[in-house]
């Protein structure tokens, strides 16, 4: 699965995946509880990306 990382931190011991209440482009934002990295899965988007 392709992902777009929103915040990328070095991983710690308690890495895993938690779904947050936040949404980006319609996709749920996931967070690693060990390192606080956040990302979305590109195949879960339901809205187009914003214009730059």
């Amino acid at each position: 699965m392709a992902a777009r990382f929103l915040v990328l931190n070095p991983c710690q011991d308690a890495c895993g995946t938690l779904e947050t209440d936040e949404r980006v482009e319609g996709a749920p934002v996931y967070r690693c509880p060990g390192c606080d990295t956040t990302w979305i899965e590109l195949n879960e988007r339901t809205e187009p990306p914003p214009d730059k």
Side-chain angles (χ1 to χ4, degrees):
M1 257 186 267
R4 180 182 335 138
F5 290 92
L6 306 173
V7 175
L8 186 58
N9 296 313
C11 283
Q12 304 297 319
D13 293 334
C15 284
T17 302
L18 296 174
E19 187 173 334
T20 68
D21 292 333
E22 186 180 352
R23 298 260 182 214
V24 172
E25 297 172 18
V29 175
Y30 296 98
R31 181 178 66 83
C32 173
C35 63
D36 287 330
T37 293
T38 57
W39 69 93
I40 63 169
E41 297 293 339
L42 296 178
N43 64 329
E44 295 180 350
R45 294 180 295 177
T46 60
E47 302 168 6
D51 291 333
K52 291 186 177 184

